Amino acid sequence: MRKSVLLIMMLVAVSMAANAQKFALIDTEYIMKNIPTAQSANEQMQQATKKYQSEVEALAKEAQKMFQDYQAKSSTLSAAQKTKKEDEIVAKEKAAAELKRNYFGPEGELAKMRDKLITPIQDDIYEAVKAISQQYGYDLVVDRASATGIIFANPRIDISDEILRKLGYSN
């Protein structure tokens, strides 16, 4: 019984070795940090984010101030005046939410900016990874930056510098 189990395990090990696959690893954060146009694009994105965030916060503060004024004066207002003030506050809050969606939503200004600035760089990286994978016969290339499950990887399988060279950035 033991010999048959051992024999089966050896056969499985031999078949796995015969079908060995080549793996490689990249670090897109490292690659992006070493591409000047990516750095510039990230800076533009950060500046736009700060600008948009301050505009949204200013509108939200206006709504908050309107609400505080309303609370302070509500006892002296008539029912019609209260309704009017409440409607103005709700409209201001909706405007702030709409502005936030226009800037930060899935089809907002930041998404459009990302598509224009970052996506072409990521596409170039993908094409370089694909070309190198085909050239060296890699069956799988894992991105260390997005693969949170990787605890350790041997540095010899990291092809990030090779990707940079393929893109024309020596490191």
Side-chain angles (χ1 to χ4, degrees):
M1 178 75 172
R2 275 186 151 170
K3 288 183 181 183
S4 62
V5 171
L6 213 59
L7 180 63
I8 291 172
M9 288 178 63
M10 285 180 54
L11 286 173
V12 169
V14 168
S15 68
M16 287 178 70
N19 293 328
Q21 297 176 339
K22 289 179 70 175
F23 300 99
L25 184 75
I26 63 168
D27 187 343
T28 52
E29 288 179 6
Y30 169 78
I31 293 169
M32 294 289 277
K33 285 179 184 174
N34 285 285
I35 298 176
T37 53
Q39 290 297 84
S40 173
N42 279 329
E43 289 171 13
Q44 289 178 39
M45 295 281 296
Q46 288 173 353
Q47 289 171 356
T49 300
K50 287 178 185 177
K51 177 185 171 221
Y52 296 157
Q53 187 65 36
S54 67
E55 289 178 29
V56 169
E57 286 174 0
L59 206 54
K61 283 182 182 178
E62 284 180 38
Q64 186 179 23
K65 173 107 172 68
M66 288 172 69
F67 179 71
Q68 289 170 346
D69 290 345
Y70 167 78
Q71 283 184 320
K73 297 176 185 175
S74 68
S75 61
T76 62
L77 298 174
S78 69
Q81 289 173 323
K82 284 183 181 181
T83 303
K84 182 182 176 200
K85 291 284 185 189
E86 289 168 358
D87 289 344
E88 289 173 359
I89 293 168
V90 168
K92 187 64 80 168
E93 288 173 342
K94 282 184 180 178
E98 180 69 17
L99 186 64
K100 184 175 184 177
R101 189 183 63 73
N102 287 340
Y103 286 151
F104 300 105
E107 295 174 10
E109 293 301 314
L110 278 179
K112 290 175 187 173
M113 184 180 271
R114 179 172 178 71
D115 285 344
K116 180 182 169 194
L117 298 174
I118 305 289
T119 302
I121 298 168
Q122 290 175 329
D123 291 345
D124 290 344
I125 292 170
Y126 172 78
E127 290 302 322
V129 169
K130 185 177 169 184
I132 289 173
S133 295
Q134 290 172 345
Q135 180 180 352
Y136 293 107
Y138 294 121
D139 295 308
L140 177 71
V141 178
V142 178
D143 181 8
R144 173 180 285 194
S146 63
T148 57
I150 295 178
I151 297 170
F152 171 79
N154 193 329
R156 70 179 169 80
I157 66 168
D158 190 324
I159 60 170
S160 299
D161 287 326
E162 196 164 340
I163 300 299
L164 284 167
R165 282 190 295 278
K166 178 85 172 167
L167 292 169
Y169 304 98
S170 61
N171 195 358

